[in-house]
Amino acid sequence: MISSGQLRAARALLGIDQKTLAERAGISLATIQRMETSGDVVRGVVDTLTKVVAALEESGIELIGENAQSLAGGRGVRLKPKHPEAG
């Protein structure tokens, strides 16, 4: 659904701190902190994840899934696929 890196990057693009995102999503600061320090894909209660995604989208963030196109246009960033190093 969302990676910890996407979550941190989304906050950076918005220029907000963890506390502000927690307030916008209606969840605790500790929950945002756990989400951002989790492994690659953020795991948690579906309702909580939905609240965070909704708060980001309402703030102007478009989350783009892996191998998905962004049809909304506008500027954005995306990680390139990792390629194994030639040996």
Side-chain angles (χ1 to χ4, degrees):
M1 181 176 215
I2 183 173
S3 72
S4 57
Q6 279 181 302
L7 187 53
R8 289 188 302 271
R11 275 195 317 98
L13 285 170
L14 293 171
I16 61 174
D17 59 14
Q18 291 175 329
K19 182 180 178 188
T20 301
L21 179 57
E23 290 169 354
R24 290 182 185 182
I27 62 175
S28 72
L29 172 59
T31 299
I32 294 293
Q33 292 169 334
R34 277 192 303 275
M35 288 178 159
E36 289 193 2
T37 58
S38 68
D40 186 28
V41 175
V42 174
R43 305 218 188 292
V45 178
V46 174
D47 184 54
T48 302
L49 292 170
T50 301
K51 287 178 181 180
V52 171
V53 169
L56 291 172
E57 289 176 346
E58 288 170 10
S59 298
I61 294 295
E62 176 189 5
L63 297 170
I64 305 168
E66 193 164 337
N67 298 319
Q69 291 184 333
S70 172
L71 302 176
R75 298 178 185 199
V77 295
R78 173 180 289 211
L79 288 173
K80 291 182 179 181
K82 292 181 183 179
H83 297 291
E85 293 184 30

